[in-house]
Amino acid sequence: MHTNVFKNVEMQHMGNGVCLFPGVIEFNWEWAFDTFKKLVDEDVADMYSPTTHPETGKPALINKSGYIFHEETFASMPGRCSSAHRREDEQIKEFLNFLEESKDKCLLDYFVKFPLAYKNVWWKVKGHIVRYQEKNTQYLGIHSDTSADYVYGYPHPSDQLATRNTVSCIVYINDCNDGMDNPTEKSFSGGHHYFDQFKITYIPKRGDILMFPSNYMASHEVLPVTKGERYSYLGWYSHGSPNPTYNEAIVDPLSDPQLAQIATNVYMPELREKFKNHLEKLNIDKSSHAYALIRDGF
């Protein structure tokens, strides 16, 4: 397998907390494309069951997390694989661990730019694979990453984990070929990431990592993919105590390292020390706000 490489690059602040780490990782993207395709195909086939939408009474589909989708709009939605971290394949586990480690390193630079974000991250939701296909011109409309889709008078959503998200993070696996002179076979057209409140458009490139606030201010959409397949790896950095009523559980990697390897939601017990070491490595002024947070906080 091609060596996975993390590179120190300068973070680009695109505005309003939207930050890009251009070409920050290198990997065997053709292998990643083929592997992610297989994983999404398998998960999609097993993820959805027919139901009735509680608000409209129309036919719908429900996924294993309890989210309900209207049948007529389902075909245009992206496919997802949330089970990748539970796979036994060592090559897959090695690659996903590399993606997680790369995201975590980028997060430290994000904290340097936005120190108070550090105070809002206790644990993370590991990434899952997202695929948009030319078939059915798949896209995702404007949304925020903290919505639980609550409707008064109907049962509370069974999964409210999204309300805990602070920072969203996306790793891009293949290229958007819009404007490319020599597009590759496994690139795609369309599929731009657009932040409607900020009028920021990002055109995906493999090896890029994008971070942004999860709340409504950074509401965003993925524009329709018009050719090929678009693959990314999406996760969140979060805070708040888990709620057993809604099946929310966070694993502590220090007390249960084996479970943490396959769990989706894990605490980040070394985050404070890693942020401190990162500030020292960058020679950040010890009178700065960032240092005050790690010195005075718990």
Side-chain angles (χ1 to χ4, degrees):
M1 182 178 176
H2 184 275
T3 302
N4 299 318
V5 178
F6 178 88
K7 299 182 293 184
N8 291 316
V9 302
E10 184 175 352
M11 184 184 77
Q12 298 177 5
H13 183 208
M14 303 172 72
N16 298 289
V18 179
C19 292
L20 175 66
F21 298 82
V24 68
I25 57 174
E26 293 181 357
F27 54 91
N28 185 340
W29 69 275
E30 292 183 327
W31 172 88
F33 180 101
D34 293 339
T35 301
F36 278 18
K37 179 179 179 67
K38 177 177 180 291
L39 292 174
V40 174
D41 283 344
E42 292 173 355
D43 254 34
V44 167
D46 186 52
M47 186 180 295
Y48 298 93
S49 302
T51 187
T52 300
H53 198 284
E55 187 177 356
T56 65
K58 293 182 178 180
L61 293 163
I62 185 169
N63 69 13
K64 291 186 175 181
S65 295
Y67 286 98
I68 298 176
F69 309 93
H70 283 103
E71 194 174 64
E72 63 267 25
T73 61
F74 177 75
S76 64
M77 293 173 47
R80 301 176 186 268
C81 172
S82 301
S83 68
H85 290 277
R86 299 193 295 273
R87 302 300 175 110
E88 294 296 328
D89 188 298
E90 291 298 326
Q91 199 170 11
I92 293 175
K93 289 196 285 188
E94 178 186 344
F95 183 61
L96 295 182
N97 287 338
F98 165 69
L99 296 184
E100 288 298 324
E101 291 166 4
S102 299
K103 288 164 56 259
D104 293 352
K105 290 176 182 177
C106 291
L107 181 68
L108 301 178
D109 278 327
Y110 194 85
F111 287 162
V112 174
K113 180 68 176 178
F114 303 103
L116 281 174
Y118 161 75
K119 296 292 285 185
N120 289 271
V121 173
W122 305 354
W123 46 276
K124 67 177 177 178
V125 180
K126 291 181 186 175
H128 70 280
I129 303 165
V130 187
R131 176 181 68 193
Y132 295 82
Q133 293 179 302
E134 170 187 355
K135 178 184 179 181
N136 300 316
T137 319
Q138 290 181 335
Y139 70 100
L140 194 61
I142 295 174
H143 66 283
S144 78
D145 288 349
T146 57
S147 172
D149 299 327
Y150 170 70
V151 178
Y152 183 78
Y154 295 95
H156 284 227
S158 59
D159 183 351
Q160 299 183 23
L161 206 66
T163 62
R164 316 300 178 85
N165 295 337
T166 299
V167 180
S168 301
C169 182
I170 308 176
V171 183
Y172 292 92
I173 303 302
N174 60 330
D175 290 308
C176 173
N177 60 35
D178 294 350
M180 291 176 59
D181 293 331
N182 299 300
T184 61
E185 180 184 350
K186 293 178 178 178
S187 59
F188 59 92
S189 299
H192 300 179
H193 192 128
Y194 178 63
F195 296 88
D196 62 303
Q197 293 290 332
F198 306 147
K199 310 306 178 192
I200 294 174
T201 300
Y202 165 72
I203 300 176
K205 298 296 178 186
R206 70 174 186 259
D208 285 1
I209 291 181
L210 190 70
M211 287 188 172
F212 53 91
S214 300
N215 65 22
Y216 65 93
M217 286 300 295
S219 57
H220 54 278
E221 62 183 309
V222 175
L223 302 181
V225 169
T226 56
K227 187 175 182 179
E229 297 182 336
R230 176 193 194 271
Y231 285 90
S232 60
Y233 180 78
L234 167 64
W236 295 275
Y237 294 97
S238 310
H239 67 164
S241 300
N243 185 346
T245 302
Y246 296 104
N247 300 315
E248 296 173 3
I250 316 298
V251 176
D252 185 343
L254 297 185
S255 60
D256 199 339
Q258 287 188 320
L259 182 56
Q261 284 294 314
I262 61 174
T264 300
N265 312 321
V266 293
Y267 282 108
M268 303 179 72
E270 300 173 348
L271 185 60
R272 182 175 183 271
E273 192 64 26
K274 286 182 177 180
F275 187 34
K276 178 182 178 183
N277 291 340
H278 190 64
L279 293 174
E280 291 174 349
K281 181 180 178 181
L282 296 176
N283 293 315
I284 301 295
D285 187 343
K286 285 188 166 58
S287 65
S288 69
H289 188 198
Y291 261 109
L293 293 175
I294 59 173
R295 183 177 60 247
D296 302 333
F298 293 96

